[in-house]
Amino acid sequence: MAKITASVYTSHVPAIGAALDLGKNNEPYWQPVFKGYDFGKQWIKENPPDVIFLVYNDHATAFSLDMIPTFAIGTAAEFAPADEGWGPRPVPTVIGHPELAAHIAQSVIQDDFDLTIVNKMDVDHGLTVPLSLMFGQPPADDFRWPCPVIPFAVNVVQYPVPSGKRCFNLGKAVRKAVESFDQPLNVQIWGTGGMSHQLQGPRAGLINKEFDNAFLDRLIADPEGQANVPHIDYVREAGSEGIELVMWLIARGAMDDIDPAPLGAAAPDATKNVASQAHPVSVKQRFYHVPASNTAVGHLILENT
Amino acid sequence: MSLQKNYLDVPGTTIFDAEQSRKGYHLNQFCMSLMKAENRERFKADERAYLDEWAMTEEQKLAVLARDLNRCIALGGNIYFLAKIGATDGKSFQQMAGSMTGMTEEEYRDMMIHGGRSVEGNRVVGEDGDAQAQHQPQGKAGHSAQKASA
């Protein structure tokens, strides 16, 4: 049986990808950002996953205004890095895991989440920058990512976007799906994007350290409470693009300490809707830094114990 | 009962909802076309002719030609889409976002290095923060442009 062993959370700032691709990562501006990922790089060498289920948002790349799926799962064998207007990033093609992806799609759709199944798409910085942050640049003589990745895109671009509660419940369904796959795979779930930032209008450049740090603390200790925070709070407090943080709740909902009963459902047993004390998660890394380009950078690693 | 839009009172911010999307459909699809190198070349060679191939309004075309991203957003553009114009021009996201504040590139970068824009006074329309309408444009670039047009 497959098992989710850990969840990784990180911002996916495009400028981070550009800094890496242009060899600027040792510049004083970028050093503190990349230092926050030294631990994660070592940790993932010691805890290599067989597959990564990577939750991210497409930035008007694979999905134009012609079609905007709320949740889309990539079931293809591979996904090419996208040309976002300055040519594709010089990173390897992402290899998928079609069997596990199709299994998750079937299980999660039967659990009442209406996923869009994507058999062909390119992936943008939302997906490739987190891989670069955790794995570094793959060497030229072995130019590939260390493991397959299932892309899972969430619409946070055109409103209406899914609620935190729905994302959290979706994470629970993903965990159930993974655990019913009959191959012994070590699966990590990653939630990417986020922290306070605003890319538009006269309010561009908004950073709210207090909100971001409270989010990190609450995501660890009170994820159910955080899942109930409405969108407008993210927009008002963390900037229009701070809404990307709801994607972290999908990864968090898939961890072992979370009661699998859907949040908001009538609980026949009142003790059921609390985080499980029997399976505490272990916080391996918590990092926060301002700024990277227009945004704050956040990064967490949580392990199932 | 009509849909509630509880995001309309956030200062200096346009939420890209169904109404904005409808307004900006052709503008945003034009932006998407710039993900192909040959389209970028054609656009750069003759911007006006390339824009004329799209069912955009004249206002939208002029806003693109002027690289006035605030105007583009008011006319239905979305920043994730508009970023393709910036990429075509060789601009970073920071330069694009900064261009919407009236600050010079240096002023905007300095603001970010010093912790970014504060949320204080910038949560609700009518407060007195720097993103409020009564404080636009915010920086030297905006002020000199204002003087020149006066």
Side-chain angles (χ1 to χ4, degrees), chain A residues 168 172 175 219-220 223-224 251-261 272 274-276 279 281:
Chain A
F168 192 61
K172 298 180 183 198
R175 172 182 161 200
L219 190 76
I220 295 167
E224 286 90 348
R252 187 66 183 93
M255 295 299 283
D256 281 0
D257 64 326
I258 304 299
D259 189 286
K272 272 223 156 178
V274 292
S276 163
H279 302 283
V281 290

Side-chain angles (χ1 to χ4, degrees), chain A residues 26-58:
Chain A
N26 284 321
E27 289 183 359
Y29 181 89
W30 288 108
Q31 266 177 347
V33 175
F34 288 105
K35 209 166 158 4
Y37 291 86
D38 285 348
F39 174 86
K41 280 190 178 132
Q42 190 56 37
W43 173 86
I44 205 157
K45 270 186 201 149
E46 291 159 11
N47 300 275
D50 295 316
V51 187
I52 296 167
F53 185 88
L54 200 156
V55 182
Y56 73 111
N57 67 291
D58 179 79

Side-chain angles (χ1 to χ4, degrees), chain B residues 15-27:
Chain B
I15 293 300
F16 190 67
D17 58 13
E19 192 184 336
Q20 288 299 111
S21 177
R22 198 163 59 243
K23 218 196 295 185
Y25 177 80
H26 294 290
L27 166 60

